[in-house]
């Protein structure tokens, strides 16, 4: 048996601090701003849109779901693993209040798009929106 | 889903990952993983790569524990009791077969039981849940947050970003973990935090760690600031150096210091001086060259290192040669030459006995100007083959001139003594202290006091100059002082010196000196000596090839007109009146200058200059001996005086005028002389009957005594009998013989007391042509010092009482009419 003190070692981080992340993984996202609305685009290829949960608050969007990656049959070992998998949760705080009532969501080509028109008057409603479209 | 608004907390606490009940166990040698933290790990070698592979294929969970003792084999007892369940979130296989994984901590766990150790350890684990925080934990969390912000602010390693992240972590337990993971603590300390399940306790631990860290950073920061400052200075200095090099200015200072050090090594200084020099050199080295002190320090070192600490010249102890040198330079002065030869003889004996530390005597030559005191010093140096230096003390009023100025003063320099020894370049020169009688005490202290130490052979081996501030050995210096008079030299100083008196020269001696020394020198000085190099001289038909002959021989060949004895005698008698020969030399110089003018203008030169020629060349004589004395008359008596410039002859005048018995004294007479005059008057009154003075003349007449020259201050008692004689002559009307001179103090009873300076007085008497001199009998021993030539020229009469004086000086009382003013 080789020396475990040599075999296992902590790699010096390139980041200047030890990152903390309570969640398993976090899908990457873009946020677009237009005159009328904000648009969130989340990279969620491989997720089942039916299982996605989107909560819209005037200043916070929460997306939950699971991405199950199916390994090829007869898998011997993994060479590389970079794609986050399993349950995830995404929280996006918003600077401009949006109107939860008019929010809508759509999943297509592996991308989840959430349209968030700006709020015309203050509201504290939380709305769960339905995701339209594309089963995989 | 429900329409009920969820709170943020409810939202963010969702999404917990389930932890499997059993998982493979990995021992970390040097790291602790906290729940929530991300840890990159390189894993190589069996069975650990397999462990990772298997985990990645399965639930992707690994139990990570700190290994508390080093070792190779897996040893469950070596594991820390609390570890962390971690999930593999990234995996990358390396070409060498090892894998890099990114682990994410999920929860604290403890090992319940090892399930298998077949390939790698697998254990059943139990999650240690973070309890909901109580109010104490919340308060502590706030404290920890503030303390952490402070540490982040102080720490150069932690970015401000991490403080923002910490501020956004709501759970006190997670906060404690995040802080611990980011403080860069030792694994054991991190493990301690991991193992503490109780939230409040964990936070207290973290707060204490934060406090320690803050203090360390404080110290580190202060150190860094200091370092930065010196670093900056270093960089600037380097740049300056480079700039200097670019400008072609080399490192002069380094070379300078090296040179000084070399000189220090070579100087051969005694220990105290060496220590001082080394200290100063070290100081100089540390000093920036721009500092004001730099030059001061540099100059001081220059002085200190330049002194002849160990440089001396060997004495030439050949007595015969010394005698010859002295004879060459000076005529007669037997007593002094003998003393110098004696000194040499003693030195020679000491030298033969191996005594090199012998002290030199301190000689003091006293005499009128121009008798050769200073040049005798030069002669001594030449005879001994020592260096010659001269310090003129005339007019020095400041002690610091002798002993130097303290280095604290701007522009401080050593005293004259150290300066002259320095310029001599040897520590045993002949040092002539000229005009030691002309120093005077000013407000800056008495220079004579400084000389006391210098001139004491018992003390001057540790002469301390104020500027140098280290002792210098002066005992090997041969001190020669010169003075014109002794009364202005402080007693203690006088006491330290061996006095040798040079009284002045007789006419015969002056002739010899002129012939042997003055004439050759003046002939040379005025360009009349034959020298081949001088074209003007070379063009003369009289020029002979024998130009390398001594000047004197050349003279005899008639290159310059010869001065006859008659001419010289006239020069001495009629053109000069001095104890020394300075004026005589000037006169001779004048004669030869005129000859030189003639030669230069092509006029023929006479073969010789005879006595009568002087009238034409020098103008009418300044004086005749006869002229000074003049006709004999009542009331005028010739006296003899001593002055710093040698002896002198003066006439004392007395006149009787109608009045009421007052005594009038004029001619700048000092107190002693005035009292002497009163004593003389009282004597005359007391003897009026015997002397034939009408008694009433003391009531009805004033007696006026005047001593020319009226502008010259005079003092002393030695004119007593002269004044008395003048008074009696005036009162009785008997003429006085002017060619009878006298000196002597008078008492009320008419006794004649001895006086000083007899030799000078007799020389002066001879000079002016006095025939008879009346001298106190008690001065008889002094006559031995008087040159035979002088004694032969004068009739010296020893007297004890005024009764012996009066018949000698006054005409017989057959011309009784009194002189009236």
């Amino acid at each position: 048996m080789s020396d475990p003190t040599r075999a296992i070692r902590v790699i010096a981080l390139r980041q200047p601090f030890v990152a903390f992340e309570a969640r398993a993984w976090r899908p990457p996202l873009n946020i677009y701003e237009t005159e009328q609305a904000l648009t969130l685009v989340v990279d969620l290829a491989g997720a089942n849109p039916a299982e996605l949960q989107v909560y819209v608050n005037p200043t916070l969007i929460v997306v939950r779901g699971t991405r199950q990656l199916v390994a090829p049959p007869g898998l011997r070992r993994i060479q590389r693993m970079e794609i986050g998998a399993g349950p995830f949760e995404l929280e996006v705080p918003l600077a401009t209040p949006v109107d939860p009532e008019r929010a809508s969501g759509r999943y297509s080509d592996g991308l989840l798009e959430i349209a968030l028109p700006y709020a015309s008057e203050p509201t504290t409603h939380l709305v769960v929106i339905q995701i339209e479209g594309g089963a995989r | 889903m429900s329409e009920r608004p969820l709170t943020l907390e409810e939202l963010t606490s969702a999404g917990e990952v389930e932890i499997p009940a059993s998982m493979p166990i990995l021992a970390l040698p040097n790291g602790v993983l906290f729940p929530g933290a991300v840890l990159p790990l390189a894993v190589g070698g069996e069975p650990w790569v397999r462990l990772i592979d298997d985990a990645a294929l399965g639930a992707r969970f690994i139990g990570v524990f700190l290994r508390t003792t080093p070792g190779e084999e897996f040893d469950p007892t070596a594991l820390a009791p609390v570890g962390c369940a971690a999930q593999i979130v990234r995996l990358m296989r390396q070409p060498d077969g090892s894998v890099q994984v990114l682990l994410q901590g999920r929860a604290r766990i403890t090992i319940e039981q090892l399930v298998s150790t077949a390939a790698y350890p697998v254990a059943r684990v139990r999650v240690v849940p973070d309890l909901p925080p109580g109010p104490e934990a919340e308060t502590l969390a706030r404290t920890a947050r503030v303390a952490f912000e402070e540490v982040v602010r102080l720490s150069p390693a932690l970015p401000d970003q991490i403080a923002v992240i910490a501020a956004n972590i709501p759970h006190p337990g997670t906060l404690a973990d995040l802080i611990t993971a980011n403080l860069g603590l030792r694994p054991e300390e991190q493990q301690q935090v991991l193992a503490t399940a109780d939230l409040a306790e964990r936070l207290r631990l973290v707060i204490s760690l934060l406090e320690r860290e803050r203090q360390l950073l404080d110290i580190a920061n202060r150190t860094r600031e200091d370092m930065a400052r010196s670093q900056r200075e270093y960089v600037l200095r380097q740049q300056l150096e480079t700039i200097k090099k670019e400008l072609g200015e080399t490192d002069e200072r380094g070379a300078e210091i090296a040179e000084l050090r070399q000189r220090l090594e070579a100087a051969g200084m005694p220990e105290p001086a060496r220590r001082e020099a080394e200290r100063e050199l070290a100081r100089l080295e540390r000093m920036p060259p721009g500092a004001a002190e730099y030059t001061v320090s540099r100059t001081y070192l220059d002085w200190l290192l330049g002194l002849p600490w160990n440089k001396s010249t060997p004495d030439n102890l050949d007595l015969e040669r010394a005698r010859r040198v002295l004879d060459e330079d000076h005529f007669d002065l037997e007593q002094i030459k003998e003393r110098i030869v004696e000194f040499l003889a003693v030195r020679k004996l000491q030298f033969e006995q191996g005594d090199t530390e012998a002290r030199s005597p301190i000689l003091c030559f006293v005499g009128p100007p121009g008798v050769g005191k200073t040049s005798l010093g030069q002669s001594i140096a030449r005879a001994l083959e020592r260096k010659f230096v001269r310090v003129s003390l005339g007019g020095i009023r400041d002690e610091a001139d002798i002993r130097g100025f303290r280095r604290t003063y701007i522009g401080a320099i050593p005293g004259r003594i150290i300066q002259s020894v320095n310029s001599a370049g040897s520590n045993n020169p002949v040092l002539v202290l000229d005009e030691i009688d002309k120093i005077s005490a000013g407000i800056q202290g008495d220079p004579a006091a400084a000389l006391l130490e210098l001139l004491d052979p018992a003390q001057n081996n540790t002469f301390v100059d104020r500027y140098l501030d280290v002792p210098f050995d002066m005992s090997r210096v041969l001190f020669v002082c010169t003075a014109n008079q002794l009364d202005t030299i402080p007693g203690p100083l006088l006491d330290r010196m061996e006095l040798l008196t040079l009284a002045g020269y007789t006419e015969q001696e002056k002739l010899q000196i002129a012939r042997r020394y003055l004439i050759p020198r003046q002939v040379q000085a005025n360009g009349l000596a034959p020298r081949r190099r001088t074209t003007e001289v070379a063009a003369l038909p009289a020029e002979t090839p024998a130009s390398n002959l001594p000047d004197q021989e050349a003279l005899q060949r008639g290159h310059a007109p010869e001065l006859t004895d008659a001419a010289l005698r006239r020069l001495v008698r009629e053109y000069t009146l001095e104890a020394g020969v300075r004026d005589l030399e000037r006169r001779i110089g004048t004669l030869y200058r005129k000859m030189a003018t003639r030669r230069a203008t092509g006029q023929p030169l006479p073969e010789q200059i005879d006595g009568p020629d002087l009238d034409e060349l020098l103008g009418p004589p300044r004086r005749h001996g006869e002229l000074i004395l003049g006709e004999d008359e009542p009331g005028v008596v010739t006296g003899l005086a001593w002055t710093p410039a040698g002896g002198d002859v003066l006439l004392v005048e007395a006149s009787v005028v109608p009045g009421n018995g007052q005594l009038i004294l004029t001619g700048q007479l000092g107190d002693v002389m005035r009292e002497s005059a009163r004593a003389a008057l009282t004597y005359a009154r007391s003897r009026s009957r015997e002397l034939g003075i009408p008694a009433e003349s003391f009531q009805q007449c004033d007696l006026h005594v005047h001593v020319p020259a009226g502008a010259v201050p005079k003092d002393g008692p030695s004119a007593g009998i002269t004044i008395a004689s003048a008074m009696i002559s005036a009162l009785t009307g008997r003429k006085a013989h002017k060619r009878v001179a006298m000196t002597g103090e008078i008492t009320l009873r008419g006794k004649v007391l001895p006086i000083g300076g007899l030799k000078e007085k007799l020389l002066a008497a001879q000079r002016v042509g006095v025939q008879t001199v009346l001298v106190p009998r008690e001065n008889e021993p002094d006559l031995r010092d008087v040159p035979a030539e002088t004694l032969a020229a004068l009739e010296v009469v020893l007297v004890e009482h005024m009764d012996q004086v009066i018949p000698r000086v006054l005409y017989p009382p057959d011309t009784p009419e009194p002189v009236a003013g």
Side-chain angles (χ1 to χ4, degrees):
Chain A
M1 197 198 252
S2 60
D3 181 8
T5 58
R6 246 179 300 155
I8 304 163
R9 74 191 156 83
V10 176
I11 297 172
L13 286 167
R14 214 168 276 159
Q15 267 178 301
F17 56 92
V18 177
F20 266 63
E21 183 60 71
R23 287 154 291 274
W25 65 286
R26 214 199 67 151
L29 81 155
N30 289 0
I31 302 176
Y32 301 115
E33 186 183 310
T34 67
E35 286 299 320
Q36 292 79 33
L38 286 177
T39 305
L40 258 71
V41 181
V42 187
D43 178 359
L44 269 175
N48 180 2
E51 288 175 18
L52 293 175
Q53 297 169 354
V54 179
Y55 305 88
V56 179
N57 214 34
T59 53
L60 181 77
I61 311 295
V62 176
V63 180
R64 281 185 194 151
T66 307
R67 171 153 71 184
Q68 291 297 345
L69 291 181
V70 179
L75 173 69
R76 194 172 61 194
R77 61 177 191 180
I78 298 171
Q79 279 283 345
R80 187 178 277 224
M81 186 173 76
E82 286 180 352
I83 302 172
F88 71 89
E89 186 183 88
L90 193 63
E91 291 160 26
V92 186
L94 301 174
T96 320
V98 295
D99 184 357
E101 300 296 341
R102 292 191 287 141
S104 62
R106 188 165 78 88
Y107 183 93
S108 77
D109 295 341
L111 296 176
L112 169 66
E113 268 186 51
I114 304 167
L116 299 163
Y118 299 125
S120 47
E121 53 192 57
T123 170
T124 54
H125 274 199
L126 173 78
V127 172
V128 179
I129 58 167
Q130 295 303 308
I131 307 300
E132 295 165 16
R136 36 155 94 132
Chain B
M1 279 253 167
S2 91
E3 291 286 313
R4 176 184 69 88
L6 286 167
T7 65
L8 279 181
E9 239 170 73
E10 279 173 321
L11 274 175
T12 52
S13 64
E16 288 284 331
V17 182
E18 278 211 15
I19 313 286
S22 71
M23 57 183 74
I25 303 298
L26 196 63
L28 289 185
N30 60 349
V32 172
L33 182 63
F34 287 93
V38 174
L39 181 74
L41 209 60
V43 177
E46 287 304 327
W48 311 116
V49 173
R50 193 133 142 248
L51 180 152
I52 298 292
D53 282 345
D54 291 354
L57 289 174
R60 297 199 276 144
F61 267 96
I62 305 173
V64 178
F65 287 80
L66 176 70
R67 190 185 175 115
T68 53
T69 56
E72 304 225 337
E73 300 290 327
F74 174 77
D75 177 5
T77 62
L79 295 180
V82 179
C84 187
Q87 208 174 3
I88 302 170
V89 293
R90 293 264 210 285
L91 183 149
M92 168 104 75
R93 198 167 298 279
Q94 297 299 110
D96 63 359
S98 70
V99 283
Q100 281 185 10
V101 289
L102 193 64
L103 297 181
Q104 194 174 24
R106 288 292 173 216
R108 283 178 165 74
I109 52 170
T110 56
I111 294 176
E112 289 261 280
Q113 194 185 355
L114 270 176
V115 176
S116 147
T117 51
Y120 44 82
V122 180
R124 200 166 73 236
V125 299
R126 190 169 61 81
V127 173
V128 183
D130 267 358
L131 299 171
E136 194 195 358
E138 293 286 4
T139 314
L140 287 168
R142 210 169 305 140
T143 311
R145 218 170 263 130
V146 172
F148 185 56
E149 269 169 33
E150 174 71 5
V151 167
V152 170
R153 196 179 60 75
L154 290 173
S155 166
L158 292 171
D160 296 344
Q161 199 183 345
I162 189 83
V164 179
I165 292 170
N168 285 322
I169 289 182
H171 196 279
T174 313
L175 178 71
D177 292 348
L178 173 107
I179 290 172
T180 311
N182 277 297
L183 282 184
L185 302 168
R186 283 180 288 121
E188 305 86 80
E189 288 167 337
Q190 296 189 33
Q191 178 63 40
Q192 217 182 329
V193 175
L194 186 70
T196 309
D198 184 82
L199 286 184
E201 207 174 308
R202 194 192 302 172
L203 281 162
R204 267 194 287 271
L205 181 58
V206 167
I207 289 168
S208 76
L209 288 170
L210 277 170
E211 178 55 25
R212 190 194 67 184
E213 203 64 16
R214 194 187 62 75
Q215 287 174 4
L216 287 176
L217 282 169
D218 229 24
I219 295 166
N221 279 349
R222 250 175 290 148
T223 316
R224 188 165 335 125
E225 271 166 36
D226 288 352
M227 294 272 290
R229 204 174 309 125
S230 63
Q231 185 77 10
R232 198 176 114 83
E233 230 167 74
Y234 173 79
V235 169
L236 285 175
R237 233 177 255 298
Q238 286 294 317
Q239 282 175 345
L240 188 69
E241 199 79 354
T242 315
I243 290 170
K244 274 187 176 171
K245 233 174 253 171
E246 286 292 318
L247 290 174
E249 291 170 14
T250 47
D251 182 14
E252 282 170 26
R253 185 151 169 267
E256 194 178 336
I257 302 252
E259 186 227 316
L260 286 173
R261 193 170 296 287
Q262 211 174 341
R263 278 172 61 188
L264 189 141
E265 294 305 322
M269 307 162 110
E271 198 42 42
R274 195 193 159 88
R275 263 205 309 277
E276 184 63 34
E278 272 169 3
R279 187 160 55 223
E280 194 64 29
L281 188 56
R283 231 162 69 80
L284 187 73
E285 258 178 309
R286 286 195 304 271
M287 228 180 267
E293 272 278 286
Y294 187 83
T295 335
V296 175
S297 188
R298 174 68 228 250
T299 314
Y300 174 72
L301 273 171
D302 264 343
W303 272 109
L304 202 57
L305 301 181
L307 284 179
W309 297 96
N310 61 348
K311 282 184 216 130
S312 53
T313 51
D315 284 348
N316 186 329
L317 296 174
D318 182 344
L319 298 188
E320 276 162 34
R321 180 186 164 278
R323 178 75 218 201
R324 209 164 52 238
V325 168
L326 292 172
D327 281 342
E328 269 170 33
D329 291 349
H330 291 90
F331 180 76
D332 197 35
L333 300 179
E334 274 312 313
Q335 194 193 355
I336 285 157
K337 288 174 181 172
E338 223 165 87
R339 179 64 189 86
I340 292 161
V341 173
E342 280 166 17
F343 164 69
L344 272 180
V346 172
R347 283 289 304 179
K348 190 173 181 180
L349 292 183
Q350 283 170 337
F351 189 74
E352 281 164 4
Q353 288 159 14
D355 182 3
T356 52
E357 293 305 304
R359 289 180 177 130
S360 303
I362 290 155
L363 304 176
C364 181
F365 297 148
V366 189
V371 295
K373 298 182 297 294
T374 309
S375 69
L376 250 180
Q378 255 162 327
S379 257
I380 296 171
R382 202 157 80 87
L384 286 166
E385 293 187 346
R386 284 190 180 197
K387 293 274 171 50
F388 173 80
V389 272
R390 186 175 152 269
V391 176
S392 182
L393 297 177
I396 283 190
R397 275 186 305 172
D398 190 344
E399 184 203 1
D401 270 339
I402 308 272
R403 269 254 277 255
F405 296 83
R406 277 193 191 291
R407 232 178 335 141
T408 42
Y409 298 113
I410 290 172
I413 46 164
R416 304 242 180 145
I417 306 301
I418 286 291
Q419 283 184 36
S420 56
V421 169
N422 184 57
S423 67
S426 87
N427 62 12
N428 62 342
V430 172
L431 177 52
V432 170
L433 297 171
D434 243 347
E435 319 285 6
I436 199 167
D437 55 332
K438 309 288 192 300
I439 51 175
S440 49
I443 48 163
Q444 314 281 8
D446 189 351
L451 287 176
L452 287 181
E453 186 195 350
L454 183 68
L455 297 184
D456 187 341
Q459 289 178 31
N460 66 7
N461 57 339
T462 55
F463 175 73
V464 176
D465 185 278
R466 294 251 172 73
Y467 178 80
L468 297 180
D469 215 21
V470 289
F472 187 88
D473 186 358
M474 284 283 177
S475 64
R476 306 184 64 197
V477 176
L478 175 55
F479 287 102
V480 175
C481 308
T482 75
N484 292 132
Q485 60 193 104
L486 295 177
D487 11 337
T488 55
I489 303 177
L493 195 53
L494 205 54
D495 188 46
R496 282 166 164 74
M497 302 185 292
E498 192 175 327
L499 295 178
L500 296 169
T501 312
L502 293 82
Y505 299 107
T506 62
E507 185 178 293
Q508 198 53 44
E509 285 167 341
K510 283 182 181 177
L511 291 189
Q512 289 294 331
I513 291 168
R515 207 149 288 297
R516 292 196 201 176
Y517 309 99
L518 307 182
I519 294 174
R521 195 150 71 201
Q522 285 305 321
V523 166
Q524 180 91 50
N526 287 299
L528 292 168
R531 275 280 171 89
R532 192 172 281 283
R533 266 179 292 157
T534 331
T535 49
E536 176 210 330
V537 177
L540 289 172
E543 170 71 1
T544 66
S547 59
N548 55 348
L549 286 173
D551 294 334
Q552 210 149 341
E553 273 182 61
L555 255 183
Q556 282 159 6
R557 284 163 189 269
H559 289 284
E562 191 191 343
L563 272 174
T564 62
D565 276 357
L568 273 177
R569 214 177 290 279
R570 268 201 84 194
L571 275 179
V572 170
R573 279 189 193 164
E574 296 175 24
Y575 287 85
T576 64
L577 178 63
E578 58 174 352
V581 291
R582 230 174 242 150
D583 203 25
L584 179 60
E585 180 166 11
R586 259 196 301 275
R587 297 285 157 197
I588 295 171
T590 308
L591 287 178
Y592 281 111
R593 213 160 50 239
K594 291 192 185 301
M595 293 300 116
T597 314
R598 284 190 188 177
R599 175 175 282 185
T601 52
Q603 298 172 46
L605 293 192
E607 272 296 302
Q608 60 177 26
I609 303 171
D610 203 356
D613 300 332
L614 296 184
D615 289 311
E616 185 206 334
L617 291 165
L618 298 177
R622 290 289 181 83
R623 63 185 187 91
H624 289 284
E626 308 291 324
L627 221 63
I628 277 201
L629 297 174
E631 293 289 308
D632 293 345
E633 53 187 311
V636 182
V637 176
T638 308
L640 296 172
W642 180 92
T643 71
D648 206 355
V649 172
L650 47 81
L651 296 173
V652 175
E653 296 177 341
S655 283
V656 177
V657 290
N660 51 7
Q662 280 185 21
L663 175 63
I664 303 162
L665 298 169
T666 54
Q668 293 269 342
L669 309 186
D671 286 345
V672 177
M673 202 158 173
R674 286 170 165 273
E675 285 173 9
S676 176
R678 295 212 154 270
L681 178 62
T682 306
Y683 166 77
R685 285 180 76 166
S686 68
R687 299 297 295 264
S688 56
R689 192 138 33 102
E690 290 86 337
L691 294 167
I693 304 168
E696 66 278 3
S697 47
F698 292 107
Q699 277 82 45
Q700 294 167 359
C701 299
D702 284 350
L703 193 59
H704 186 160
V705 175
H706 177 73
V707 185
V712 183
K714 308 161 195 75
D715 205 358
S718 72
I721 60 170
T722 322
I723 296 171
S725 301
M727 284 174 174
I728 293 164
S729 171
L731 287 165
T732 58
R734 287 162 70 179
K735 282 186 182 174
H737 293 284
K738 281 190 177 165
R739 286 176 177 274
V740 176
M742 66 190 74
T743 179
E745 187 174 343
I746 188 173
T747 70
L748 287 180
R749 301 282 176 273
K751 246 179 86 86
V752 179
L753 298 182
I755 44 78
L758 184 66
K759 184 179 173 187
E760 288 87 345
K761 286 174 178 174
L762 292 188
L763 286 174
Q766 186 200 3
R767 226 164 29 230
V768 298
V770 167
Q771 286 167 347
T772 307
V773 184
L774 307 183
V775 172
R777 180 166 294 280
E778 287 178 57
N779 277 108
E780 192 174 6
D782 296 332
L783 288 175
R784 272 183 309 207
D785 295 338
V786 181
E789 177 204 332
T790 306
L791 290 179
L794 295 171
E795 183 197 359
V796 177
V797 180
L798 296 168
V799 293
E800 291 170 296
H801 196 272
M802 276 304 287
D803 292 348
Q804 295 165 294
V805 175
I806 298 300
R808 286 277 179 179
V809 66
L810 296 189
Y811 281 47
D814 50 12
T815 45
E817 79 255 37
V819 183

